[in-house]
Amino acid sequence: MNITLSQAEKLISAAQEKARSIECKMNIAVVDGGANLVAFARMDGAWLGSLDISIKKAKTARFFDMNSGEIGNLSQPGGSLYNIEHSNGGLITFPGGIPIKNAEGEIIGAIGVSGSSVENDHAVASAGSEAL
Amino acid sequence: MNITLSQAEKLISAAQEKARSIECKMNIAVVDGGANLVAFARMDGAWLGSLDISIKKAKTARFFDMNSGEIGNLSQPGGSLYNIEHSNGGLITFPGGIPIKNAEGEIIGAIGVSGSSVENDHAVASAGSEAL
Amino acid sequence: MNITLSQAEKLISAAQEKARSIECKMNIAVVDGGANLVAFARMDGAWLGSLDISIKKAKTARFFDMNSGEIGNLSQPGGSLYNIEHSNGGLITFPGGIPIKNAEGEIIGAIGVSGSSVENDHAVASAGSEAL
Amino acid sequence: MNITLSQAEKLISAAQEKARSIECKMNIAVVDGGANLVAFARMDGAWLGSLDISIKKAKTARFFDMNSGEIGNLSQPGGSLYNIEHSNGGLITFPGGIPIKNAEGEIIGAIGVSGSSVENDHAVASAGSEAL
């Protein structure tokens, strides 16, 4: 099961609405079950460097089927996954990436958001992920 | 002058409508004046390999401010731009990438489409480019 | 709004003058609003490895519209942006990259300097950034 | 023996003057004897995709100590250096790259120009190379 483009667009709309409500300009990416990009939007004036980060957060969340920030807890110096960010062409392991599940609880993709503090990034990704 | 997200979404909607009318499943990418991604959509069932191609077509069109296929006419064996595809992290030089201009004729970005024959790719990109 | 080549050359001249006054040999890069290189100069005898670093500092400053060193404060182990350097083909997050604004306060590019201590790198980038 | 920054800037000035005289907007790169960038200038409005090409032309000319176009004659299908462009992170083997020699005939670097037809690119690179 893969997320559809229509579902991905719903996620991005909901994420944008949340971003506007907290006055942030975000890059928002949605990947499918194969960790390949389905839909993307960069809000006007959003940080250019967050383009790649939003996609990498979505991929990271799907690569390991958990929130991107959970990986970051394990990748610190001395941690069990130290410097895992070197794999897969570059991971981003701070908050803002969240897996997306269907009604049956199967993971069908992931959303990644970047453009503000990691708290705001996660809040916007979370609003998107709840749109299905 | 850069294309806005709202404009990019209009382009992608128009391109999708055209794709459906000719029964094609497309990857559609829009970049801004700096050749950086603004919006992207992969229609359900579209070729996975066309994801990267659609983005590279859009970038190629903005890199040289002409349709991607025009570069391909010059990059053939014996042509003046033979193997130019090795530059810029990889160009795609067959049809499907078209620069986008504003009302004053300034280039503000480009659209790239991939997922079917190059004739269909160009037709869908063209429908998108006329949506502004 | 993008920085012009003439403006970029003024920045590089001012940066070189400052570098000579503190007896440093620097690599100096200027990127435009799309984070693409506009002008570059490597002073005779400057570290070869600083070539790429100066360009990455300029890009990093434009990617996030802040001094490169500010990112580095957040990307330390345990920090909110830990290992952000893995994005965008490689960031450099220590001092020496500074955004460039026009008279209206809009960001039109960035300067990146590398070749000495980060304090000196920042001082030279700063001298360049004030030349407009 | 390496080209100096002062010499590289003379080359770029002469190349720009020639470019203006034939009404072209060029990307102009100068590398040293180690094929590492010394100086670069992108004229306002020059093709963005020619940034990377100008640098690759300069490197190609220094990698093999001959004009970039000479490599292109050998890299065609059936030629002895077929697809040599895949080496060194990407070569550009059409005209516009020229080695730079000092008064003793030693190669001290190379110039690469991109932004117009290959004839114009070569003419501008040639004007630059004669400035020493």
Short mmCIF file of all heavy atoms in Angstrom, two decimals, chain B residues 33-35 62-66 76-89 91, chain D residues 47-50 52-53 56 72 75-77 82-83 85-86 89-95 118:
data_model
loop_
_atom_site.label_atom_id
_atom_site.label_comp_id
_atom_site.label_asym_id
_atom_site.label_seq_id
_atom_site.Cartn_x
_atom_site.Cartn_y
_atom_site.Cartn_z
N GLY B 33 13.60 30.60 -10.29
CA GLY B 33 14.64 31.22 -11.09
C GLY B 33 16.05 30.78 -10.73
O GLY B 33 16.96 30.89 -11.54
N GLY B 34 16.22 30.26 -9.53
CA GLY B 34 17.51 29.73 -9.11
C GLY B 34 17.66 28.25 -9.38
O GLY B 34 18.61 27.62 -8.93
N ALA B 35 16.68 27.67 -10.13
CA ALA B 35 16.68 26.25 -10.49
C ALA B 35 16.48 25.34 -9.27
O ALA B 35 16.86 24.18 -9.28
CB ALA B 35 17.94 25.86 -11.27
N ARG B 62 15.75 25.76 -17.09
CA ARG B 62 16.12 27.01 -16.44
C ARG B 62 17.63 27.27 -16.57
O ARG B 62 18.05 28.41 -16.71
CB ARG B 62 15.72 26.98 -14.96
CG ARG B 62 16.23 28.15 -14.15
CD ARG B 62 15.89 29.50 -14.77
NE ARG B 62 16.47 30.63 -14.06
CZ ARG B 62 16.89 31.75 -14.62
NH1 ARG B 62 16.76 31.95 -15.93
NH2 ARG B 62 17.43 32.71 -13.91
N PHE B 63 18.42 26.21 -16.53
CA PHE B 63 19.88 26.41 -16.64
C PHE B 63 20.25 27.14 -17.93
O PHE B 63 21.19 27.92 -17.95
CB PHE B 63 20.59 25.06 -16.62
CG PHE B 63 20.75 24.44 -15.25
CD1 PHE B 63 20.86 23.06 -15.12
CD2 PHE B 63 20.83 25.21 -14.11
CE1 PHE B 63 21.03 22.46 -13.87
CE2 PHE B 63 21.00 24.63 -12.86
CZ PHE B 63 21.10 23.25 -12.74
N PHE B 64 19.51 26.84 -19.02
CA PHE B 64 19.87 27.42 -20.32
C PHE B 64 18.74 28.25 -20.93
O PHE B 64 18.83 28.67 -22.09
CB PHE B 64 20.33 26.31 -21.26
CG PHE B 64 21.49 25.54 -20.70
CD1 PHE B 64 21.30 24.29 -20.13
CD2 PHE B 64 22.76 26.10 -20.67
CE1 PHE B 64 22.36 23.60 -19.56
CE2 PHE B 64 23.82 25.41 -20.10
CZ PHE B 64 23.62 24.17 -19.54
N ASP B 65 17.68 28.46 -20.17
CA ASP B 65 16.57 29.32 -20.61
C ASP B 65 16.02 28.93 -21.96
O ASP B 65 15.72 29.80 -22.81
CB ASP B 65 17.01 30.80 -20.59
CG ASP B 65 17.31 31.29 -19.18
OD1 ASP B 65 16.88 30.62 -18.21
OD2 ASP B 65 17.98 32.33 -19.04
N MET B 66 15.92 27.63 -22.18
CA MET B 66 15.30 27.14 -23.42
C MET B 66 14.69 25.77 -23.14
O MET B 66 14.95 25.16 -22.10
CB MET B 66 16.32 27.05 -24.56
CG MET B 66 17.49 26.11 -24.34
SD MET B 66 18.65 26.09 -25.74
CE MET B 66 19.62 27.58 -25.42
N GLN B 76 24.06 15.73 -29.50
CA GLN B 76 24.23 14.43 -30.16
C GLN B 76 25.70 14.19 -30.52
O GLN B 76 26.48 15.15 -30.59
CB GLN B 76 23.41 14.39 -31.47
CG GLN B 76 21.92 14.60 -31.27
CD GLN B 76 21.29 13.51 -30.45
OE1 GLN B 76 21.59 12.34 -30.68
NE2 GLN B 76 20.45 13.87 -29.49
N PRO B 77 26.08 12.94 -30.78
CA PRO B 77 27.44 12.68 -31.28
C PRO B 77 27.73 13.56 -32.49
O PRO B 77 26.90 13.68 -33.40
CB PRO B 77 27.38 11.19 -31.67
CG PRO B 77 26.35 10.61 -30.74
CD PRO B 77 25.32 11.70 -30.57
N GLY B 78 28.86 14.23 -32.47
CA GLY B 78 29.23 15.14 -33.54
C GLY B 78 28.66 16.54 -33.38
O GLY B 78 29.06 17.47 -34.08
N GLY B 79 27.71 16.71 -32.47
CA GLY B 79 27.10 18.02 -32.26
C GLY B 79 27.97 18.92 -31.41
O GLY B 79 28.90 18.46 -30.74
N SER B 80 27.65 20.22 -31.42
CA SER B 80 28.55 21.18 -30.76
C SER B 80 28.54 21.04 -29.24
O SER B 80 29.50 21.46 -28.60
CB SER B 80 28.17 22.61 -31.16
OG SER B 80 26.83 22.89 -30.79
N LEU B 81 27.48 20.47 -28.68
CA LEU B 81 27.40 20.34 -27.21
C LEU B 81 27.43 18.88 -26.78
O LEU B 81 26.85 18.50 -25.75
CB LEU B 81 26.13 21.02 -26.68
CG LEU B 81 25.94 22.49 -27.01
CD1 LEU B 81 24.67 23.02 -26.36
CD2 LEU B 81 27.15 23.32 -26.58
N TYR B 82 28.11 18.03 -27.55
CA TYR B 82 28.15 16.59 -27.27
C TYR B 82 28.50 16.30 -25.80
O TYR B 82 29.50 16.79 -25.30
CB TYR B 82 29.15 15.90 -28.20
CG TYR B 82 29.33 14.42 -27.92
CD1 TYR B 82 28.26 13.54 -27.95
CD2 TYR B 82 30.59 13.91 -27.60
CE1 TYR B 82 28.42 12.20 -27.68
CE2 TYR B 82 30.78 12.57 -27.34
CZ TYR B 82 29.68 11.72 -27.37
OH TYR B 82 29.85 10.38 -27.09
N ASN B 83 27.64 15.51 -25.17
CA ASN B 83 27.83 15.07 -23.79
C ASN B 83 27.79 16.19 -22.75
O ASN B 83 28.34 16.05 -21.65
CB ASN B 83 29.14 14.26 -23.64
CG ASN B 83 28.87 12.76 -23.77
OD1 ASN B 83 27.72 12.32 -23.80
ND2 ASN B 83 29.93 11.95 -23.83
N ILE B 84 27.09 17.28 -23.07
CA ILE B 84 26.87 18.34 -22.08
C ILE B 84 26.11 17.80 -20.87
O ILE B 84 26.13 18.38 -19.79
CB ILE B 84 26.06 19.52 -22.71
CG1 ILE B 84 26.06 20.74 -21.79
CG2 ILE B 84 24.64 19.10 -23.05
CD1 ILE B 84 25.40 21.98 -22.41
N GLU B 85 25.45 16.63 -21.05
CA GLU B 85 24.66 16.04 -19.97
C GLU B 85 25.50 15.71 -18.74
O GLU B 85 24.95 15.47 -17.65
CB GLU B 85 23.96 14.77 -20.47
CG GLU B 85 22.88 15.01 -21.52
CD GLU B 85 23.41 15.16 -22.94
OE1 GLU B 85 24.65 15.06 -23.13
OE2 GLU B 85 22.60 15.38 -23.85
N HIS B 86 26.81 15.68 -18.88
CA HIS B 86 27.68 15.39 -17.74
C HIS B 86 27.84 16.58 -16.79
O HIS B 86 28.47 16.44 -15.74
CB HIS B 86 29.06 14.92 -18.21
CG HIS B 86 29.02 13.54 -18.80
ND1 HIS B 86 29.32 12.42 -18.08
CD2 HIS B 86 28.67 13.10 -20.03
CE1 HIS B 86 29.19 11.34 -18.85
NE2 HIS B 86 28.80 11.74 -20.03
N SER B 87 27.31 17.73 -17.14
CA SER B 87 27.47 18.91 -16.28
C SER B 87 26.32 19.02 -15.28
O SER B 87 25.30 18.32 -15.39
CB SER B 87 27.51 20.17 -17.14
OG SER B 87 26.24 20.43 -17.71
N ASN B 88 26.51 19.87 -14.30
CA ASN B 88 25.43 20.25 -13.38
C ASN B 88 24.77 19.07 -12.67
O ASN B 88 23.56 19.09 -12.41
CB ASN B 88 24.36 21.05 -14.15
CG ASN B 88 24.87 22.39 -14.63
OD1 ASN B 88 25.11 23.28 -13.83
ND2 ASN B 88 25.10 22.51 -15.94
N GLY B 89 25.56 18.04 -12.38
CA GLY B 89 25.01 16.89 -11.67
C GLY B 89 24.08 16.05 -12.51
O GLY B 89 23.34 15.22 -11.98
N LEU B 91 22.22 16.47 -16.68
CA LEU B 91 21.13 17.14 -17.39
C LEU B 91 20.25 16.09 -18.08
O LEU B 91 20.71 14.98 -18.36
CB LEU B 91 21.68 18.08 -18.46
CG LEU B 91 22.60 19.21 -18.01
CD1 LEU B 91 23.09 20.00 -19.22
CD2 LEU B 91 21.89 20.13 -17.03
N TRP D 47 23.79 32.34 -18.51
CA TRP D 47 23.10 31.08 -18.21
C TRP D 47 23.63 30.48 -16.91
O TRP D 47 24.85 30.34 -16.72
CB TRP D 47 23.33 30.06 -19.32
CG TRP D 47 22.55 30.32 -20.56
CD1 TRP D 47 21.35 30.96 -20.68
CD2 TRP D 47 22.93 29.94 -21.90
NE1 TRP D 47 20.97 30.98 -21.99
CE2 TRP D 47 21.90 30.36 -22.76
CE3 TRP D 47 24.03 29.26 -22.44
CZ2 TRP D 47 21.95 30.14 -24.13
CZ3 TRP D 47 24.07 29.04 -23.80
CH2 TRP D 47 23.05 29.48 -24.64
N LEU D 48 22.69 30.07 -16.07
CA LEU D 48 23.03 29.46 -14.79
C LEU D 48 23.74 28.11 -15.00
O LEU D 48 24.67 27.76 -14.27
CB LEU D 48 21.73 29.26 -14.00
CG LEU D 48 21.78 29.12 -12.52
CD1 LEU D 48 22.63 30.18 -11.88
CD2 LEU D 48 20.35 29.19 -11.96
N GLY D 49 23.30 27.36 -15.98
CA GLY D 49 23.88 26.03 -16.24
C GLY D 49 25.31 26.09 -16.75
O GLY D 49 26.02 25.08 -16.75
N SER D 50 25.73 27.29 -17.19
CA SER D 50 27.08 27.44 -17.71
C SER D 50 28.11 27.65 -16.61
O SER D 50 29.32 27.61 -16.87
CB SER D 50 27.12 28.62 -18.70
OG SER D 50 26.54 28.22 -19.93
N ASP D 52 28.75 25.63 -13.98
CA ASP D 52 29.48 24.37 -13.82
C ASP D 52 30.26 24.02 -15.08
O ASP D 52 31.38 23.48 -15.00
CB ASP D 52 28.47 23.27 -13.49
CG ASP D 52 29.13 21.92 -13.24
OD1 ASP D 52 30.00 21.85 -12.35
OD2 ASP D 52 28.79 20.95 -13.93
N ILE D 53 29.68 24.33 -16.24
CA ILE D 53 30.35 23.99 -17.50
C ILE D 53 31.66 24.76 -17.65
O ILE D 53 32.67 24.20 -18.09
CB ILE D 53 29.40 24.23 -18.69
CG1 ILE D 53 28.25 23.21 -18.64
CG2 ILE D 53 30.15 24.14 -20.02
CD1 ILE D 53 27.17 23.41 -19.69
N LYS D 56 34.23 23.12 -15.50
CA LYS D 56 34.62 21.82 -16.04
C LYS D 56 35.47 21.97 -17.30
O LYS D 56 36.38 21.17 -17.55
CB LYS D 56 33.37 20.97 -16.33
CG LYS D 56 32.76 20.34 -15.07
CD LYS D 56 31.64 19.37 -15.42
CE LYS D 56 31.27 18.44 -14.27
NZ LYS D 56 30.92 19.09 -13.03
N GLY D 72 37.11 16.45 -27.24
CA GLY D 72 35.81 16.12 -27.83
C GLY D 72 35.93 15.45 -29.19
O GLY D 72 35.06 14.66 -29.58
N SER D 75 36.37 11.76 -28.28
CA SER D 75 35.43 11.11 -27.35
C SER D 75 34.11 10.73 -28.02
O SER D 75 33.18 10.29 -27.34
CB SER D 75 35.17 12.03 -26.15
OG SER D 75 34.46 13.19 -26.55
N GLN D 76 34.03 10.91 -29.32
CA GLN D 76 32.80 10.57 -30.06
C GLN D 76 32.61 9.05 -30.11
O GLN D 76 33.57 8.30 -29.90
CB GLN D 76 32.90 11.11 -31.50
CG GLN D 76 33.07 12.61 -31.59
CD GLN D 76 31.87 13.37 -31.08
OE1 GLN D 76 30.74 12.97 -31.34
NE2 GLN D 76 32.11 14.43 -30.33
N PRO D 77 31.39 8.59 -30.40
CA PRO D 77 31.17 7.16 -30.58
C PRO D 77 32.17 6.59 -31.59
O PRO D 77 32.37 7.18 -32.67
CB PRO D 77 29.74 7.11 -31.14
CG PRO D 77 29.08 8.32 -30.57
CD PRO D 77 30.16 9.37 -30.52
N TYR D 82 36.20 7.37 -26.33
CA TYR D 82 34.74 7.38 -26.24
C TYR D 82 34.24 7.47 -24.80
O TYR D 82 34.61 6.66 -23.96
CB TYR D 82 34.17 6.13 -26.92
CG TYR D 82 32.68 5.98 -26.77
CD1 TYR D 82 31.81 6.98 -27.20
CD2 TYR D 82 32.13 4.84 -26.19
CE1 TYR D 82 30.44 6.85 -27.06
CE2 TYR D 82 30.76 4.69 -26.05
CZ TYR D 82 29.92 5.70 -26.48
OH TYR D 82 28.56 5.57 -26.34
N ASN D 83 33.43 8.51 -24.54
CA ASN D 83 32.80 8.72 -23.23
C ASN D 83 33.79 8.96 -22.09
O ASN D 83 33.48 8.69 -20.92
CB ASN D 83 31.86 7.56 -22.89
CG ASN D 83 30.43 7.87 -23.31
OD1 ASN D 83 30.12 8.99 -23.70
ND2 ASN D 83 29.55 6.89 -23.22
N GLU D 85 34.13 11.53 -20.83
CA GLU D 85 33.44 12.53 -20.00
C GLU D 85 32.99 11.96 -18.65
O GLU D 85 32.67 12.71 -17.73
CB GLU D 85 32.23 13.11 -20.75
CG GLU D 85 32.58 13.97 -21.95
CD GLU D 85 32.80 13.16 -23.22
OE1 GLU D 85 32.72 11.90 -23.17
OE2 GLU D 85 33.07 13.79 -24.25
N HIS D 86 32.95 10.64 -18.53
CA HIS D 86 32.54 10.03 -17.27
C HIS D 86 33.62 10.11 -16.18
O HIS D 86 33.36 9.75 -15.03
CB HIS D 86 32.17 8.55 -17.48
CG HIS D 86 30.86 8.37 -18.17
ND1 HIS D 86 29.69 8.20 -17.49
CD2 HIS D 86 30.54 8.38 -19.48
CE1 HIS D 86 28.69 8.08 -18.36
NE2 HIS D 86 29.17 8.19 -19.57
N GLY D 89 34.75 13.24 -12.23
CA GLY D 89 33.56 13.95 -11.78
C GLY D 89 32.83 14.67 -12.89
O GLY D 89 31.97 15.52 -12.62
N GLY D 90 33.17 14.32 -14.15
CA GLY D 90 32.49 14.95 -15.28
C GLY D 90 33.38 15.90 -16.03
O GLY D 90 33.79 16.93 -15.50
N LEU D 91 33.69 15.55 -17.29
CA LEU D 91 34.44 16.47 -18.15
C LEU D 91 33.47 17.17 -19.10
O LEU D 91 32.39 16.66 -19.40
CB LEU D 91 35.46 15.70 -19.00
CG LEU D 91 36.54 14.90 -18.27
CD1 LEU D 91 37.42 14.18 -19.29
CD2 LEU D 91 37.37 15.81 -17.39
N ILE D 92 33.87 18.33 -19.61
CA ILE D 92 33.18 18.97 -20.74
C ILE D 92 34.21 19.09 -21.85
O ILE D 92 35.27 19.71 -21.67
CB ILE D 92 32.61 20.34 -20.36
CG1 ILE D 92 31.43 20.16 -19.40
CG2 ILE D 92 32.14 21.11 -21.61
CD1 ILE D 92 30.19 19.48 -19.98
N THR D 93 33.89 18.47 -22.99
CA THR D 93 34.90 18.27 -24.03
C THR D 93 34.58 19.01 -25.33
O THR D 93 35.13 18.67 -26.37
CB THR D 93 35.04 16.76 -24.32
OG1 THR D 93 33.77 16.26 -24.75
CG2 THR D 93 35.51 16.00 -23.09
N PHE D 94 33.71 19.99 -25.23
CA PHE D 94 33.54 20.86 -26.42
C PHE D 94 34.29 22.18 -26.17
O PHE D 94 34.75 22.44 -25.05
CB PHE D 94 32.07 21.05 -26.81
CG PHE D 94 31.09 21.31 -25.68
CD1 PHE D 94 30.93 22.58 -25.17
CD2 PHE D 94 30.32 20.28 -25.16
CE1 PHE D 94 30.00 22.82 -24.16
CE2 PHE D 94 29.38 20.51 -24.14
CZ PHE D 94 29.23 21.78 -23.65
N PRO D 95 34.48 23.00 -27.23
CA PRO D 95 35.39 24.16 -27.12
C PRO D 95 35.00 25.16 -26.03
O PRO D 95 33.82 25.30 -25.69
CB PRO D 95 35.31 24.79 -28.50
CG PRO D 95 35.01 23.66 -29.41
CD PRO D 95 34.04 22.80 -28.64
N VAL D 118 29.63 27.50 -28.97
CA VAL D 118 30.99 27.05 -28.65
C VAL D 118 32.03 27.90 -29.38
O VAL D 118 33.14 28.08 -28.88
CB VAL D 118 31.19 25.55 -28.97
CG1 VAL D 118 30.33 24.71 -28.03
CG2 VAL D 118 30.92 25.22 -30.42
#
